[in-house]
Amino acid sequence: MSRYYLGVDGGGTNCRIRLADENLVTLAEVKNGRANLQIDAGEPAYKAISDGTRDVFAAAGIDYAETANTFACFGMAGGRMDTARAEFAARPWPFAGVRVYDDIDIAHAGALGGGEGGVIIVGTGSAAMAVVDGQRLQAGGWGFPIGDQMSGAILGRELVRYAVEAEDGLVEASPLTKAVIERLGGDNQAVMTWSFASDMDLKIISRDGSEGCDDALIGRAPAEYGQLMPLFIEHYDRGDAVAKKMMDIQLGYVDTYANWFKRHGATVMAVVGGFGQRLFPIFQQRYGDFVALPQFEPLHGAVILAKQNFDAA
């Protein structure tokens, strides 16, 4: 009887699904809709994976009934909460076995080939995880308002704040701060309008149907701040003084996590995420052999975890 492994990299924008044989050789891969567990109680994620499973079996030329001989692992955006993962795993899946993880778990498994050590995600958001002597340790990943310290979104927000102060004459200006202000409208009033998303004419509707809520605020999404990172890197490479200050902030955040890994006995810190890999040469100069590029992408990490969890089943 054939045995298959199915891995899912469920992102907030799209969901990637890979089917592999018992040797983890990829048989087919497809992409489907968004798959964040925190969106609409996980319904879009359930639909994306269900539809994607049919698509990936069709693409591999394998009867869908073989899902009964397939073991699956889902790495999900919005999977930080234990309850969200447990509820999603309990849905009526057709597989022989299912495990649902936070998306950082599959990033870790892919980056380290299923082995031990630490991994940081440094993209629009950020998080950290390590496995040392079989013990799983996790930090960060609590989202833009209270976490994501290493992320492009947080650095972008700090950059905008600094640029506004520079326009007010409170701190040193530079070509980078001028470029940020220009990008966001040309002056501080325009930046303020941008930051509150005022020009989008959005409204908060309370549960009772009334407009407005004293406890909530509309503002730009993390990705909007993260989109300033190419501008930041461009000016950093030119030696911009403010860009260097911002880089010191970024490296200070990464130092906190590197030291956390070392205190727990991790001997390697793999760097995942587009922004992090762009900064990798700087990390290498700072941390030496302690940092590494990922061996595999997160989607393959999901397949690795599927096999690790169910190999004896």
Side-chain angles (χ1 to χ4, degrees):
M1 180 176 64
S2 298
R3 184 185 183 97
Y4 302 100
Y5 296 99
L6 184 135
V8 171
D9 183 0
T13 304
N14 60 65
C15 177
R16 295 173 61 206
I17 301 172
R18 178 177 292 177
L19 183 64
D21 66 16
E22 58 188 356
N23 297 312
L24 301 191
V25 174
T26 299
L27 302 174
E29 182 180 322
V30 300
K31 184 184 294 186
N32 215 298
R34 59 181 182 166
N36 188 311
L37 293 190
Q38 302 303 320
I39 296 175
D40 296 337
E43 281 300 319
Y46 181 66
K47 184 178 189 307
I49 295 175
S50 298
D51 293 349
T53 296
R54 293 188 178 278
D55 292 343
V56 80
F57 271 84
I62 299 171
D63 192 325
Y64 180 77
E66 288 297 316
T67 52
N69 300 314
T70 301
F71 296 89
C73 170
F74 308 157
M76 305 300 294
R80 189 69 164 88
M81 303 299 292
D82 297 344
T83 52
R85 298 195 306 273
E87 290 169 4
F88 200 65
R91 285 176 178 259
W93 301 107
F95 308 110
V98 173
R99 284 292 301 272
V100 180
Y101 286 91
D102 191 7
D103 52 5
I104 196 170
D105 287 86
I106 63 170
H108 183 279
L112 298 174
E116 295 200 343
V119 65
I120 53 173
I121 296 177
V122 183
T124 300
S126 74
M129 177 190 155
V131 175
V132 180
D133 295 331
Q135 182 182 7
R136 181 186 183 277
L137 307 160
Q138 186 171 1
W142 296 112
F144 182 67
I146 62 171
D148 286 357
Q149 293 92 335
M150 296 178 287
S151 71
I154 293 295
L155 188 60
R157 186 182 66 189
E158 293 304 309
L159 177 56
V160 173
R161 285 177 171 173
Y162 189 99
V164 167
E165 291 183 346
E167 282 296 290
D168 281 340
L170 298 172
V171 295
E172 171 193 12
S174 78
L176 173 59
T177 65
K178 295 294 184 184
V180 168
I181 297 299
E182 186 63 30
R183 171 75 64 86
L184 301 182
D187 57 38
N188 279 357
Q189 291 195 37
V191 176
M192 185 176 182
T193 297
W194 176 88
S195 69
F196 283 100
S198 302
D199 57 344
M200 298 175 73
D201 196 27
L202 302 173
K203 294 181 176 63
I204 295 176
I205 305 299
S206 297
R207 288 174 179 166
D208 63 4
S210 62
E211 184 179 320
C213 179
D214 291 340
D215 299 327
L217 181 70
I218 293 175
R220 288 286 171 173
E224 296 292 299
Y225 289 97
Q227 288 176 4
L228 294 171
M229 288 304 95
L231 189 67
F232 163 73
I233 290 295
E234 176 188 336
H235 285 79
Y236 178 81
D237 288 344
R238 294 176 182 172
D240 185 277
V242 172
K244 289 182 178 180
K245 287 184 179 182
M246 294 293 107
M247 184 64 80
D248 286 343
I249 293 173
Q250 176 70 10
L251 293 175
Y253 286 139
V254 178
D255 282 347
T256 298
Y257 283 89
N259 292 333
W260 179 76
F261 283 132
K262 291 177 180 179
R263 287 199 307 272
H264 286 94
T267 58
V268 64
M269 180 176 76
V271 181
V272 177
F275 187 40
Q277 293 192 27
R278 172 61 183 82
L279 300 181
F280 187 77
I282 298 172
F283 295 164
Q284 247 184 338
Q285 292 175 6
R286 197 173 186 88
Y287 308 114
D289 293 339
F290 182 65
V291 291
L293 290 171
Q295 296 179 35
F296 303 104
E297 62 175 327
L299 181 56
H300 190 66
V303 176
I304 290 172
L305 286 177
K307 183 164 186 175
Q308 286 185 346
N309 276 286
F310 297 109
D311 206 25

